[in-house]
Amino acid sequence: MTPVFSALLALLIACAVVVACLKNIFQAVIVFAAYSLIMAVLWQLLGAPDVAITEAAVGAGVTSLLFFGTIAKTGGRPQ
Amino acid sequence: MDDLILRTVARVLVPLVQLCGLAIIAYGHVSPGGGFAGGTVLAAGFVLYALAFGQEALDRRLPERTARTAESLGAAWFAVLGLVGLAAGRNYLANVLPPGSPGRLLSGGIIALVTAGVGLKVAATMVTLFRRLMGGEGGERP
């Protein structure tokens, strides 16, 4: 494992934990997009560019937009 | 949503995003990517357009009827291409075109055509998904 790969893995786990801990849904969605972006880079480093493109497009792109749309619709107040 | 920065950025970015999506679809058989990834990027362009200029602007550029027709066309295109293989006396989705030289755009036989159908279907579905989510109660029921 190269240092870059290890650093990204650590960042990925940190992002995942932060998403679960955040009370503010809006912030959670942004961190989740960052998680997806890191995951996309990791897929590329693991030699799966096809999955990387899909992860970047779906995870960081469309899913975040749909989440933002849902927040805009519901007001996004934490329980 | 009347943000000058968002609208200016979207005006520059939307064509590039959609061009990127179309390229991923077109090169789906020779490079990473394909119908699903490219279609999603293409749809993200439409969604960005709707977020920047409002849903009415998207309705003018891509009416819901057109999106729904494109969705059905994509699925029908896939099914018909598969039947072409059956008509040639082979398996469903069997290749009936010359394979071409590997790595070139005109290669892979039927796969490029299948990918185009998948891309159309996925892009239209994503846009419809966004529209249904944002449309609210007033939206037209299918």
Side-chain angles (χ1 to χ4, degrees), chain B residues 81-133:
Chain B
L81 271 179
L83 289 177
V84 168
L86 278 187
R90 313 232 303 277
N91 289 331
Y92 190 76
L93 275 177
N95 189 22
V96 291
L97 295 174
S101 52
R104 303 296 303 274
L105 185 58
L106 291 176
S107 67
I110 207 171
I111 299 296
L113 300 175
V114 171
T115 306
V118 173
L120 185 68
K121 163 96 179 143
V122 170
T125 306
M126 289 289 179
V127 173
T128 308
L129 204 63
F130 173 76
R131 211 175 237 151
R132 285 265 164 252
L133 190 68

mmCIF file of all heavy atoms in Angstrom, chain B residues 81-133:
data_model
loop_
_atom_site.group_PDB
_atom_site.id
_atom_site.type_symbol
_atom_site.label_atom_id
_atom_site.label_comp_id
_atom_site.label_asym_id
_atom_site.label_seq_id
_atom_site.Cartn_x
_atom_site.Cartn_y
_atom_site.Cartn_z
ATOM 1 N N LEU B 81 -32.747 -4.657 -30.603
ATOM 2 C CA LEU B 81 -31.391 -5.089 -30.967
ATOM 3 C C LEU B 81 -31.158 -6.543 -30.576
ATOM 4 O O LEU B 81 -30.502 -7.293 -31.295
ATOM 5 C CB LEU B 81 -30.359 -4.206 -30.273
ATOM 6 C CG LEU B 81 -29.940 -2.949 -31.023
ATOM 7 C CD1 LEU B 81 -28.932 -2.177 -30.187
ATOM 8 C CD2 LEU B 81 -29.352 -3.294 -32.366
ATOM 9 N N GLY B 82 -31.712 -6.929 -29.415
ATOM 10 C CA GLY B 82 -31.587 -8.316 -28.997
ATOM 11 C C GLY B 82 -32.306 -9.245 -29.955
ATOM 12 O O GLY B 82 -31.799 -10.314 -30.320
ATOM 13 N N LEU B 83 -33.485 -8.798 -30.414
ATOM 14 C CA LEU B 83 -34.269 -9.647 -31.327
ATOM 15 C C LEU B 83 -33.569 -9.806 -32.676
ATOM 16 O O LEU B 83 -33.758 -10.812 -33.352
ATOM 17 C CB LEU B 83 -35.661 -9.029 -31.520
ATOM 18 C CG LEU B 83 -36.570 -9.126 -30.295
ATOM 19 C CD1 LEU B 83 -37.895 -8.434 -30.552
ATOM 20 C CD2 LEU B 83 -36.804 -10.577 -29.930
ATOM 21 N N VAL B 84 -32.756 -8.783 -33.053
ATOM 22 C CA VAL B 84 -32.012 -8.894 -34.309
ATOM 23 C C VAL B 84 -31.115 -10.127 -34.265
ATOM 24 O O VAL B 84 -31.003 -10.870 -35.248
ATOM 25 C CB VAL B 84 -31.186 -7.610 -34.562
ATOM 26 C CG1 VAL B 84 -30.198 -7.814 -35.689
ATOM 27 C CG2 VAL B 84 -32.123 -6.458 -34.898
ATOM 28 N N GLY B 85 -30.499 -10.365 -33.094
ATOM 29 C CA GLY B 85 -29.677 -11.557 -32.939
ATOM 30 C C GLY B 85 -30.483 -12.831 -33.138
ATOM 31 O O GLY B 85 -30.042 -13.771 -33.797
ATOM 32 N N LEU B 86 -31.710 -12.843 -32.570
ATOM 33 C CA LEU B 86 -32.592 -14.010 -32.737
ATOM 34 C C LEU B 86 -32.960 -14.182 -34.199
ATOM 35 O O LEU B 86 -32.966 -15.304 -34.721
ATOM 36 C CB LEU B 86 -33.871 -13.815 -31.902
ATOM 37 C CG LEU B 86 -33.821 -14.138 -30.415
ATOM 38 C CD1 LEU B 86 -35.216 -14.041 -29.832
ATOM 39 C CD2 LEU B 86 -33.245 -15.513 -30.177
ATOM 40 N N ALA B 87 -33.240 -13.048 -34.877
ATOM 41 C CA ALA B 87 -33.648 -13.113 -36.287
ATOM 42 C C ALA B 87 -32.525 -13.672 -37.152
ATOM 43 O O ALA B 87 -32.769 -14.311 -38.184
ATOM 44 C CB ALA B 87 -34.047 -11.726 -36.778
ATOM 45 N N ALA B 88 -31.260 -13.424 -36.712
ATOM 46 C CA ALA B 88 -30.128 -13.944 -37.467
ATOM 47 C C ALA B 88 -29.895 -15.424 -37.167
ATOM 48 O O ALA B 88 -28.926 -16.007 -37.662
ATOM 49 C CB ALA B 88 -28.878 -13.139 -37.146
ATOM 50 N N GLY B 89 -30.750 -16.013 -36.334
ATOM 51 C CA GLY B 89 -30.639 -17.434 -36.045
ATOM 52 C C GLY B 89 -29.653 -17.757 -34.946
ATOM 53 O O GLY B 89 -29.183 -18.876 -34.842
ATOM 54 N N ARG B 90 -29.313 -16.747 -34.107
ATOM 55 C CA ARG B 90 -28.371 -16.990 -33.016
ATOM 56 C C ARG B 90 -29.040 -16.606 -31.699
ATOM 57 O O ARG B 90 -30.264 -16.484 -31.634
ATOM 58 C CB ARG B 90 -27.092 -16.173 -33.236
ATOM 59 C CG ARG B 90 -26.567 -16.311 -34.681
ATOM 60 C CD ARG B 90 -25.129 -16.689 -34.741
ATOM 61 N NE ARG B 90 -24.293 -15.743 -34.022
ATOM 62 C CZ ARG B 90 -23.861 -14.601 -34.536
ATOM 63 N NH1 ARG B 90 -24.229 -14.262 -35.757
ATOM 64 N NH2 ARG B 90 -23.078 -13.819 -33.842
ATOM 65 N N ASN B 91 -28.221 -16.408 -30.657
ATOM 66 C CA ASN B 91 -28.776 -16.080 -29.340
ATOM 67 C C ASN B 91 -29.357 -14.673 -29.310
ATOM 68 O O ASN B 91 -29.110 -13.862 -30.198
ATOM 69 C CB ASN B 91 -27.672 -16.149 -28.278
ATOM 70 C CG ASN B 91 -27.247 -17.570 -28.023
ATOM 71 O OD1 ASN B 91 -28.053 -18.490 -28.182
ATOM 72 N ND2 ASN B 91 -25.996 -17.746 -27.665
ATOM 73 N N TYR B 92 -30.136 -14.398 -28.229
ATOM 74 C CA TYR B 92 -30.601 -13.040 -27.980
ATOM 75 C C TYR B 92 -29.387 -12.156 -27.752
ATOM 76 O O TYR B 92 -28.451 -12.550 -27.049
ATOM 77 C CB TYR B 92 -31.512 -13.030 -26.747
ATOM 78 C CG TYR B 92 -32.253 -11.750 -26.523
ATOM 79 C CD1 TYR B 92 -33.360 -11.407 -27.286
ATOM 80 C CD2 TYR B 92 -31.848 -10.857 -25.536
ATOM 81 C CE1 TYR B 92 -34.036 -10.233 -27.083
ATOM 82 C CE2 TYR B 92 -32.520 -9.681 -25.327
ATOM 83 C CZ TYR B 92 -33.617 -9.378 -26.104
ATOM 84 O OH TYR B 92 -34.282 -8.208 -25.901
ATOM 85 N N LEU B 93 -29.378 -10.966 -28.343
ATOM 86 C CA LEU B 93 -28.288 -9.999 -28.243
ATOM 87 C C LEU B 93 -26.980 -10.509 -28.867
ATOM 88 O O LEU B 93 -25.907 -10.007 -28.555
ATOM 89 C CB LEU B 93 -28.016 -9.600 -26.796
ATOM 90 C CG LEU B 93 -28.881 -8.472 -26.230
ATOM 91 C CD1 LEU B 93 -28.544 -8.231 -24.772
ATOM 92 C CD2 LEU B 93 -28.737 -7.200 -27.010
ATOM 93 N N ALA B 94 -27.067 -11.512 -29.750
ATOM 94 C CA ALA B 94 -25.861 -11.974 -30.433
ATOM 95 C C ALA B 94 -25.375 -10.885 -31.382
ATOM 96 O O ALA B 94 -26.167 -10.111 -31.917
ATOM 97 C CB ALA B 94 -26.167 -13.252 -31.211
ATOM 98 N N ASN B 95 -24.038 -10.857 -31.583
ATOM 99 C CA ASN B 95 -23.472 -9.815 -32.436
ATOM 100 C C ASN B 95 -23.710 -10.150 -33.902
ATOM 101 O O ASN B 95 -23.408 -11.248 -34.358
ATOM 102 C CB ASN B 95 -21.976 -9.682 -32.151
ATOM 103 C CG ASN B 95 -21.390 -8.486 -32.832
ATOM 104 O OD1 ASN B 95 -22.121 -7.555 -33.153
ATOM 105 N ND2 ASN B 95 -20.098 -8.500 -33.060
ATOM 106 N N VAL B 96 -24.261 -9.194 -34.641
ATOM 107 C CA VAL B 96 -24.520 -9.441 -36.055
ATOM 108 C C VAL B 96 -23.675 -8.517 -36.928
ATOM 109 O O VAL B 96 -23.725 -8.593 -38.144
ATOM 110 C CB VAL B 96 -26.015 -9.231 -36.393
ATOM 111 C CG1 VAL B 96 -26.850 -10.320 -35.762
ATOM 112 C CG2 VAL B 96 -26.482 -7.867 -35.957
ATOM 113 N N LEU B 97 -22.897 -7.626 -36.293
ATOM 114 C CA LEU B 97 -22.089 -6.670 -37.052
ATOM 115 C C LEU B 97 -20.635 -7.120 -37.071
ATOM 116 O O LEU B 97 -20.206 -7.875 -36.195
ATOM 117 C CB LEU B 97 -22.193 -5.275 -36.410
ATOM 118 C CG LEU B 97 -23.568 -4.628 -36.455
ATOM 119 C CD1 LEU B 97 -23.567 -3.324 -35.674
ATOM 120 C CD2 LEU B 97 -23.986 -4.366 -37.881
ATOM 121 N N PRO B 98 -19.847 -6.665 -38.057
ATOM 122 C CA PRO B 98 -18.417 -7.002 -38.039
ATOM 123 C C PRO B 98 -17.744 -6.404 -36.812
ATOM 124 O O PRO B 98 -18.063 -5.283 -36.411
ATOM 125 C CB PRO B 98 -17.900 -6.358 -39.324
ATOM 126 C CG PRO B 98 -18.937 -5.366 -39.726
ATOM 127 C CD PRO B 98 -20.237 -5.903 -39.233
ATOM 128 N N PRO B 99 -16.834 -7.139 -36.158
ATOM 129 C CA PRO B 99 -16.261 -6.678 -34.893
ATOM 130 C C PRO B 99 -15.360 -5.463 -35.035
ATOM 131 O O PRO B 99 -15.205 -4.704 -34.086
ATOM 132 C CB PRO B 99 -15.469 -7.893 -34.392
ATOM 133 C CG PRO B 99 -15.235 -8.718 -35.606
ATOM 134 C CD PRO B 99 -16.375 -8.485 -36.526
ATOM 135 N N GLY B 100 -14.757 -5.254 -36.199
ATOM 136 C CA GLY B 100 -13.860 -4.119 -36.355
ATOM 137 C C GLY B 100 -12.552 -4.353 -35.630
ATOM 138 O O GLY B 100 -12.334 -5.396 -35.025
ATOM 139 N N SER B 101 -11.662 -3.354 -35.677
ATOM 140 C CA SER B 101 -10.363 -3.512 -35.023
ATOM 141 C C SER B 101 -10.453 -3.025 -33.591
ATOM 142 O O SER B 101 -11.037 -1.973 -33.329
ATOM 143 C CB SER B 101 -9.283 -2.735 -35.778
ATOM 144 O OG SER B 101 -9.697 -1.399 -35.967
ATOM 145 N N PRO B 102 -9.872 -3.773 -32.637
ATOM 146 C CA PRO B 102 -10.000 -3.421 -31.215
ATOM 147 C C PRO B 102 -9.421 -2.040 -30.916
ATOM 148 O O PRO B 102 -8.403 -1.645 -31.484
ATOM 149 C CB PRO B 102 -9.192 -4.509 -30.514
ATOM 150 C CG PRO B 102 -9.117 -5.620 -31.488
ATOM 151 C CD PRO B 102 -9.137 -5.008 -32.848
ATOM 152 N N GLY B 103 -10.077 -1.307 -30.040
ATOM 153 C CA GLY B 103 -9.578 -0.009 -29.615
ATOM 154 C C GLY B 103 -10.084 1.148 -30.447
ATOM 155 O O GLY B 103 -9.972 2.294 -30.039
ATOM 156 N N ARG B 104 -10.638 0.877 -31.626
ATOM 157 C CA ARG B 104 -11.171 1.960 -32.445
ATOM 158 C C ARG B 104 -12.614 2.231 -32.055
ATOM 159 O O ARG B 104 -13.281 1.383 -31.454
ATOM 160 C CB ARG B 104 -11.095 1.592 -33.938
ATOM 161 C CG ARG B 104 -9.696 1.247 -34.412
ATOM 162 C CD ARG B 104 -8.778 2.432 -34.295
ATOM 163 N NE ARG B 104 -9.284 3.564 -35.042
ATOM 164 C CZ ARG B 104 -9.044 3.771 -36.344
ATOM 165 N NH1 ARG B 104 -8.310 2.916 -36.998
ATOM 166 N NH2 ARG B 104 -9.545 4.827 -36.954
ATOM 167 N N LEU B 105 -13.091 3.428 -32.421
ATOM 168 C CA LEU B 105 -14.471 3.788 -32.074
ATOM 169 C C LEU B 105 -15.454 2.873 -32.804
ATOM 170 O O LEU B 105 -16.459 2.435 -32.239
ATOM 171 C CB LEU B 105 -14.727 5.252 -32.441
ATOM 172 C CG LEU B 105 -16.091 5.792 -32.023
ATOM 173 C CD1 LEU B 105 -16.277 5.643 -30.526
ATOM 174 C CD2 LEU B 105 -16.235 7.238 -32.417
ATOM 175 N N LEU B 106 -15.153 2.574 -34.088
ATOM 176 C CA LEU B 106 -16.033 1.696 -34.854
ATOM 177 C C LEU B 106 -15.571 0.254 -34.665
ATOM 178 O O LEU B 106 -14.912 -0.327 -35.513
ATOM 179 C CB LEU B 106 -16.007 2.075 -36.337
ATOM 180 C CG LEU B 106 -16.663 3.414 -36.662
ATOM 181 C CD1 LEU B 106 -16.498 3.751 -38.118
ATOM 182 C CD2 LEU B 106 -18.135 3.395 -36.287
ATOM 183 N N SER B 107 -15.894 -0.283 -33.494
ATOM 184 C CA SER B 107 -15.538 -1.669 -33.196
ATOM 185 C C SER B 107 -16.546 -2.201 -32.196
ATOM 186 O O SER B 107 -17.466 -1.494 -31.791
ATOM 187 C CB SER B 107 -14.115 -1.750 -32.625
ATOM 188 O OG SER B 107 -14.072 -1.139 -31.364
ATOM 189 N N GLY B 108 -16.381 -3.457 -31.823
ATOM 190 C CA GLY B 108 -17.270 -4.018 -30.811
ATOM 191 C C GLY B 108 -18.632 -4.403 -31.342
ATOM 192 O O GLY B 108 -19.487 -4.835 -30.585
ATOM 193 N N GLY B 109 -18.839 -4.246 -32.639
ATOM 194 C CA GLY B 109 -20.094 -4.671 -33.245
ATOM 195 C C GLY B 109 -21.297 -4.007 -32.613
ATOM 196 O O GLY B 109 -21.425 -2.782 -32.589
ATOM 197 N N ILE B 110 -22.187 -4.834 -32.058
ATOM 198 C CA ILE B 110 -23.500 -4.383 -31.602
ATOM 199 C C ILE B 110 -23.410 -3.622 -30.268
ATOM 200 O O ILE B 110 -24.319 -2.886 -29.904
ATOM 201 C CB ILE B 110 -24.423 -5.615 -31.487
ATOM 202 C CG1 ILE B 110 -25.887 -5.225 -31.666
ATOM 203 C CG2 ILE B 110 -24.217 -6.336 -30.192
ATOM 204 C CD1 ILE B 110 -26.773 -6.446 -31.765
ATOM 205 N N ILE B 111 -22.288 -3.778 -29.542
ATOM 206 C CA ILE B 111 -22.200 -3.240 -28.182
ATOM 207 C C ILE B 111 -22.392 -1.720 -28.169
ATOM 208 O O ILE B 111 -23.080 -1.173 -27.299
ATOM 209 C CB ILE B 111 -20.834 -3.596 -27.555
ATOM 210 C CG1 ILE B 111 -20.678 -5.116 -27.461
ATOM 211 C CG2 ILE B 111 -20.700 -2.999 -26.168
ATOM 212 C CD1 ILE B 111 -21.657 -5.776 -26.548
ATOM 213 N N ALA B 112 -21.790 -1.024 -29.148
ATOM 214 C CA ALA B 112 -21.907 0.431 -29.179
ATOM 215 C C ALA B 112 -23.369 0.853 -29.298
ATOM 216 O O ALA B 112 -23.809 1.805 -28.633
ATOM 217 C CB ALA B 112 -21.089 0.992 -30.335
ATOM 218 N N LEU B 113 -24.137 0.136 -30.129
ATOM 219 C CA LEU B 113 -25.547 0.479 -30.311
ATOM 220 C C LEU B 113 -26.333 0.194 -29.041
ATOM 221 O O LEU B 113 -27.194 0.981 -28.631
ATOM 222 C CB LEU B 113 -26.122 -0.312 -31.489
ATOM 223 C CG LEU B 113 -25.428 -0.057 -32.833
ATOM 224 C CD1 LEU B 113 -25.984 -0.978 -33.908
ATOM 225 C CD2 LEU B 113 -25.607 1.385 -33.246
ATOM 226 N N VAL B 114 -26.035 -0.939 -28.389
ATOM 227 C CA VAL B 114 -26.711 -1.279 -27.129
ATOM 228 C C VAL B 114 -26.425 -0.205 -26.080
ATOM 229 O O VAL B 114 -27.322 0.269 -25.377
ATOM 230 C CB VAL B 114 -26.258 -2.666 -26.631
ATOM 231 C CG1 VAL B 114 -26.771 -2.922 -25.228
ATOM 232 C CG2 VAL B 114 -26.727 -3.756 -27.565
ATOM 233 N N THR B 115 -25.130 0.212 -26.001
ATOM 234 C CA THR B 115 -24.745 1.223 -25.015
ATOM 235 C C THR B 115 -25.498 2.532 -25.243
ATOM 236 O O THR B 115 -25.909 3.182 -24.287
ATOM 237 C CB THR B 115 -23.227 1.462 -25.105
ATOM 238 O OG1 THR B 115 -22.567 0.216 -24.967
ATOM 239 C CG2 THR B 115 -22.763 2.391 -24.015
ATOM 240 N N ALA B 116 -25.662 2.901 -26.523
ATOM 241 C CA ALA B 116 -26.397 4.134 -26.815
ATOM 242 C C ALA B 116 -27.825 4.049 -26.277
ATOM 243 O O ALA B 116 -28.330 4.996 -25.663
ATOM 244 C CB ALA B 116 -26.407 4.390 -28.324
ATOM 245 N N GLY B 117 -28.468 2.885 -26.460
ATOM 246 C CA GLY B 117 -29.823 2.716 -25.949
ATOM 247 C C GLY B 117 -29.865 2.792 -24.436
ATOM 248 O O GLY B 117 -30.731 3.458 -23.861
ATOM 249 N N VAL B 118 -28.904 2.132 -23.787
ATOM 250 C CA VAL B 118 -28.861 2.141 -22.325
ATOM 251 C C VAL B 118 -28.647 3.572 -21.818
ATOM 252 O O VAL B 118 -29.288 4.016 -20.865
ATOM 253 C CB VAL B 118 -27.755 1.196 -21.813
ATOM 254 C CG1 VAL B 118 -27.588 1.340 -20.312
ATOM 255 C CG2 VAL B 118 -28.070 -0.239 -22.156
ATOM 256 N N GLY B 119 -27.712 4.300 -22.486
ATOM 257 C CA GLY B 119 -27.449 5.676 -22.068
ATOM 258 C C GLY B 119 -28.682 6.551 -22.157
ATOM 259 O O GLY B 119 -28.991 7.311 -21.231
ATOM 260 N N LEU B 120 -29.410 6.427 -23.258
ATOM 261 C CA LEU B 120 -30.643 7.207 -23.446
ATOM 262 C C LEU B 120 -31.638 6.898 -22.334
ATOM 263 O O LEU B 120 -32.216 7.792 -21.711
ATOM 264 C CB LEU B 120 -31.238 6.877 -24.819
ATOM 265 C CG LEU B 120 -32.453 7.668 -25.261
ATOM 266 C CD1 LEU B 120 -32.062 9.113 -25.503
ATOM 267 C CD2 LEU B 120 -33.052 7.075 -26.517
ATOM 268 N N LYS B 121 -31.795 5.611 -22.061
ATOM 269 C CA LYS B 121 -32.765 5.170 -21.052
ATOM 270 C C LYS B 121 -32.378 5.684 -19.656
ATOM 271 O O LYS B 121 -33.211 6.224 -18.934
ATOM 272 C CB LYS B 121 -32.810 3.637 -21.077
ATOM 273 C CG LYS B 121 -33.425 2.998 -19.855
ATOM 274 C CD LYS B 121 -34.866 2.690 -20.065
ATOM 275 C CE LYS B 121 -35.468 2.029 -18.836
ATOM 276 N NZ LYS B 121 -36.830 2.482 -18.608
ATOM 277 N N VAL B 122 -31.098 5.523 -19.312
ATOM 278 C CA VAL B 122 -30.668 5.923 -17.968
ATOM 279 C C VAL B 122 -30.779 7.440 -17.802
ATOM 280 O O VAL B 122 -31.265 7.928 -16.774
ATOM 281 C CB VAL B 122 -29.218 5.443 -17.705
ATOM 282 C CG1 VAL B 122 -28.675 6.047 -16.430
ATOM 283 C CG2 VAL B 122 -29.168 3.947 -17.619
ATOM 284 N N ALA B 123 -30.360 8.195 -18.823
ATOM 285 C CA ALA B 123 -30.422 9.652 -18.722
ATOM 286 C C ALA B 123 -31.867 10.109 -18.527
ATOM 287 O O ALA B 123 -32.165 10.919 -17.642
ATOM 288 C CB ALA B 123 -29.816 10.287 -19.967
ATOM 289 N N ALA B 124 -32.773 9.567 -19.347
ATOM 290 C CA ALA B 124 -34.173 9.973 -19.242
ATOM 291 C C ALA B 124 -34.753 9.571 -17.891
ATOM 292 O O ALA B 124 -35.508 10.323 -17.271
ATOM 293 C CB ALA B 124 -34.973 9.343 -20.378
ATOM 294 N N THR B 125 -34.364 8.382 -17.402
ATOM 295 C CA THR B 125 -34.892 7.915 -16.116
ATOM 296 C C THR B 125 -34.425 8.814 -14.979
ATOM 297 O O THR B 125 -35.210 9.175 -14.099
ATOM 298 C CB THR B 125 -34.440 6.470 -15.854
ATOM 299 O OG1 THR B 125 -34.806 5.672 -16.969
ATOM 300 C CG2 THR B 125 -35.082 5.925 -14.612
ATOM 301 N N MET B 126 -33.130 9.192 -15.009
ATOM 302 C CA MET B 126 -32.593 10.048 -13.943
ATOM 303 C C MET B 126 -33.307 11.399 -13.923
ATOM 304 O O MET B 126 -33.633 11.923 -12.853
ATOM 305 C CB MET B 126 -31.095 10.249 -14.146
ATOM 306 C CG MET B 126 -30.267 9.022 -13.874
ATOM 307 S SD MET B 126 -30.193 8.613 -12.132
ATOM 308 C CE MET B 126 -29.200 7.146 -12.168
ATOM 309 N N VAL B 127 -33.523 11.970 -15.122
ATOM 310 C CA VAL B 127 -34.201 13.268 -15.185
ATOM 311 C C VAL B 127 -35.625 13.136 -14.650
ATOM 312 O O VAL B 127 -36.106 13.982 -13.886
ATOM 313 C CB VAL B 127 -34.191 13.814 -16.627
ATOM 314 C CG1 VAL B 127 -35.037 15.063 -16.731
ATOM 315 C CG2 VAL B 127 -32.773 14.118 -17.060
ATOM 316 N N THR B 128 -36.307 12.050 -15.042
ATOM 317 C CA THR B 128 -37.673 11.839 -14.570
ATOM 318 C C THR B 128 -37.708 11.655 -13.055
ATOM 319 O O THR B 128 -38.595 12.174 -12.369
ATOM 320 C CB THR B 128 -38.286 10.620 -15.267
ATOM 321 O OG1 THR B 128 -38.138 10.770 -16.676
ATOM 322 C CG2 THR B 128 -39.747 10.473 -14.930
ATOM 323 N N LEU B 129 -36.690 10.937 -12.537
ATOM 324 C CA LEU B 129 -36.587 10.708 -11.088
ATOM 325 C C LEU B 129 -36.490 12.045 -10.352
ATOM 326 O O LEU B 129 -37.220 12.302 -9.388
ATOM 327 C CB LEU B 129 -35.335 9.873 -10.829
ATOM 328 C CG LEU B 129 -35.241 9.024 -9.572
ATOM 329 C CD1 LEU B 129 -36.303 7.971 -9.596
ATOM 330 C CD2 LEU B 129 -33.877 8.389 -9.477
ATOM 331 N N PHE B 130 -35.575 12.900 -10.845
ATOM 332 C CA PHE B 130 -35.398 14.220 -10.241
ATOM 333 C C PHE B 130 -36.689 15.024 -10.319
ATOM 334 O O PHE B 130 -37.107 15.677 -9.364
ATOM 335 C CB PHE B 130 -34.271 14.951 -10.962
ATOM 336 C CG PHE B 130 -34.101 16.372 -10.541
ATOM 337 C CD1 PHE B 130 -33.490 16.668 -9.337
ATOM 338 C CD2 PHE B 130 -34.533 17.399 -11.345
ATOM 339 C CE1 PHE B 130 -33.334 17.983 -8.948
ATOM 340 C CE2 PHE B 130 -34.381 18.713 -10.959
ATOM 341 C CZ PHE B 130 -33.776 19.005 -9.760
ATOM 342 N N ARG B 131 -37.349 14.959 -11.467
ATOM 343 C CA ARG B 131 -38.563 15.730 -11.674
ATOM 344 C C ARG B 131 -39.667 15.271 -10.728
ATOM 345 O O ARG B 131 -40.392 16.068 -10.144
ATOM 346 C CB ARG B 131 -38.995 15.513 -13.112
ATOM 347 C CG ARG B 131 -39.700 16.689 -13.688
ATOM 348 C CD ARG B 131 -39.960 16.425 -15.131
ATOM 349 N NE ARG B 131 -39.376 17.450 -15.941
ATOM 350 C CZ ARG B 131 -38.962 17.238 -17.175
ATOM 351 N NH1 ARG B 131 -39.026 16.052 -17.684
ATOM 352 N NH2 ARG B 131 -38.482 18.225 -17.863
ATOM 353 N N ARG B 132 -39.796 13.963 -10.572
ATOM 354 C CA ARG B 132 -40.831 13.411 -9.689
ATOM 355 C C ARG B 132 -40.573 13.836 -8.247
ATOM 356 O O ARG B 132 -41.491 14.131 -7.499
ATOM 357 C CB ARG B 132 -40.827 11.890 -9.764
ATOM 358 C CG ARG B 132 -41.434 11.344 -11.008
ATOM 359 C CD ARG B 132 -42.893 10.990 -10.817
ATOM 360 N NE ARG B 132 -43.508 10.831 -12.122
ATOM 361 C CZ ARG B 132 -44.357 11.701 -12.626
ATOM 362 N NH1 ARG B 132 -44.725 12.762 -11.959
ATOM 363 N NH2 ARG B 132 -44.876 11.519 -13.814
ATOM 364 N N LEU B 133 -39.279 13.824 -7.872
ATOM 365 C CA LEU B 133 -38.927 14.167 -6.496
ATOM 366 C C LEU B 133 -39.211 15.634 -6.226
ATOM 367 O O LEU B 133 -39.744 15.996 -5.175
ATOM 368 C CB LEU B 133 -37.452 13.853 -6.249
ATOM 369 C CG LEU B 133 -36.990 13.927 -4.807
ATOM 370 C CD1 LEU B 133 -37.612 12.809 -4.008
ATOM 371 C CD2 LEU B 133 -35.486 13.846 -4.722
#
